[in-house]
Amino acid sequence: MTIVVAAVAAATALAPPALADRSLRPEWGECPAEVAAPGLDCTTLSVPLDHRDPDGRRIDVALSRLASKNPEKRWGVLLTNQGGPGGTGVDFPAGLVALGLPQSVLDSYDIIGFDPRGVGRSTPVTCNLTPEQESLGNIPPYARDAADVVKHARHSKRVAEQCAESDTAFMLPYTSTAATARDLDRIREALGEEKLSFLSYSYGTHLGAVYTTLFPDRGDRIVLDSSLVPAGLDREGGRLFGHGMELRFPDFAAYAAAHPEHGLGSTPVPADDLRRPVPRQPDALPRRNLARARHEPAAAARGNRPAGPGQHAVQPSPRDLQRLPLAEAGRHLPA
């Protein structure tokens, strides 16, 4: 489901000035080799660790930009977020181009990517995670029984304790959706824009909703695709995540059956079979093909991530992008 938000009325406390002095504008340069792409520039922006204390300790937010090359059609800036939470975003503008972002959007906007605070090339929250812990991601493996629930709870507790004891523990009270939304407005300010547009998916939709709530007069075109519940990833959101998986799994089964190259079988699973117990050790399923199927059919896209509830592809298809209101924005600019 796609929701376009014009504005949501709410308080605008802690708001920075509407526009930044030109001397404070970020200086763009080459991107790191691992995210470099044609036309993509990178920089970092200093923001307050605690937005309630703007003169206190500061952290860095990593930014990227695909600048419009058509000044006559340029409308403004389009910030992007592909979800997570915890996903990097500086490579997302290039990923959108690879997926077929319409030329009208590229003409109308400077496409802006960013690593949210605590993530990637921004000032990170590391929690001293081991490679094994990092490989688990932010979605725990399926709990097949009560023992698995206890096992996952112990793992979560261990990670929480590591976070509290790590060198980046000072970031924890300030790593939130609200703080990231205020970072968005600092980005808008630094770019010298009165308003920003925002293209978001999955968890990014919650970030967009919070931004428009905090700053109802500073959002232009806000696109929320695959929206979360209003409270975000709380307990109810987690419960609905599982329900969404159950509803959409028959579609995945049909896809897998139609693509024998994944080695997952050729017969879609009947809906009633979804509720039957699954063998604890699915040795018949080749692990390599399972890993491959988890990331396709968008394996060629940059910034791949596991599908969320109700999703098969990890990124929107060009056809989906062309249905977005932003895709036609270039045709509706004032003369």
Side-chain angles (χ1 to χ4, degrees), residues 45 47 61-63 79 112-114 182-193 196:
L45 178 67
V47 301
V61 173
L63 306 178
L79 274 70
I112 307 296
F114 69 101
R182 299 188 191 283
D183 291 343
L184 289 181
D185 206 57
R186 290 281 177 164
I187 295 171
R188 175 204 58 77
E189 177 196 5
L191 297 178
E193 300 288 336
L196 64 76

Side-chain angles (χ1 to χ4, degrees), residues 35-56:
V35 299
L40 191 68
D41 300 317
C42 289
T43 191
T44 58
L45 178 67
S46 175
V47 301
L49 171 66
D50 181 356
H51 284 280
R52 295 168 298 184
D53 183 14
D55 297 323

Side-chain angles (χ1 to χ4, degrees), residues 19-312:
L19 295 175
D21 186 280
R22 284 189 175 274
S23 64
L24 302 178
R25 303 283 175 86
E27 295 185 4
W28 298 96
E30 293 184 1
C31 292
E34 59 270 24
V35 299
L40 191 68
D41 300 317
C42 289
T43 191
T44 58
L45 178 67
S46 175
V47 301
L49 171 66
D50 181 356
H51 284 280
R52 295 168 298 184
D53 183 14
D55 297 323
R57 186 171 184 173
R58 302 183 75 81
I59 59 174
D60 289 333
V61 173
L63 306 178
S64 65
R65 177 188 67 175
L66 275 177
S68 168
K69 294 180 172 59
N70 195 330
E72 294 182 356
K73 292 185 177 181
R74 185 183 181 279
W75 179 271
V77 294
L78 172 62
L79 274 70
T80 60
N81 185 276
Q82 60 182 327
T88 61
V90 293
D91 59 349
F92 195 40
L96 289 170
V97 172
L99 286 165
L101 192 68
Q103 187 61 45
S104 60
V105 179
L106 296 173
D107 288 340
S108 301
Y109 297 94
D110 293 345
I111 313 297
I112 307 296
F114 69 101
D115 286 354
R117 59 169 54 206
V119 174
R121 292 165 186 82
S122 296
T123 301
V125 173
T126 66
C127 291
N128 296 333
L129 295 179
T130 65
E132 181 181 3
Q133 289 173 326
E134 289 184 345
S135 70
L136 294 177
N138 63 348
I139 301 175
Y142 180 76
R144 302 176 186 275
D145 51 33
D148 273 354
V149 173
V150 173
K151 177 182 176 181
H152 299 333
R154 288 173 177 167
H155 169 76
S156 297
K157 180 181 179 181
R158 186 162 56 250
V159 170
E161 291 172 346
Q162 287 180 210
C163 288
E165 297 169 356
S166 71
D167 293 338
T168 58
F170 73 92
M171 289 277 294
L172 296 180
Y174 310 103
T175 304
S176 65
T177 301
T180 303
R182 299 188 191 283
D183 291 343
L184 289 181
D185 206 57
R186 290 281 177 164
I187 295 171
R188 175 204 58 77
E189 177 196 5
L191 297 178
E193 300 288 336
E194 293 185 0
K195 295 178 180 289
L196 64 76
S197 293
F198 190 59
L199 173 61
S200 60
Y201 302 90
S202 191
Y203 163 76
T205 66
H206 184 52
L207 176 59
V210 170
Y211 178 81
T212 57
T213 298
L214 293 173
F215 306 103
D217 298 326
R218 295 182 184 170
D220 187 10
R221 293 174 168 91
I222 309 296
V223 179
L224 312 180
D225 191 309
S226 306
S227 303
L228 298 187
V229 294
L233 288 173
D234 61 355
R235 179 178 297 182
E236 177 67 5
R239 187 189 69 79
L240 290 174
F241 190 102
H243 182 58
M245 287 290 189
E246 181 179 20
L247 291 176
R248 305 308 298 177
F249 186 82
D251 292 336
F252 168 76
Y255 166 83
H259 293 80
E261 65 271 20
H262 296 314
L264 297 176
S266 59
T267 304
V269 178
D272 290 343
D273 287 354
L274 296 179
R275 295 174 176 83
R276 296 179 182 176
V278 179
R280 187 169 184 81
Q281 298 295 335
D283 294 332
L285 299 178
R287 188 175 300 274
R288 178 180 62 82
N289 286 337
L290 278 172
R292 180 183 177 193
R294 189 173 182 225
H295 290 283
E296 292 190 6
R302 299 186 58 153
N304 287 346
R305 55 185 170 84
Q311 298 174 330
H312 288 182

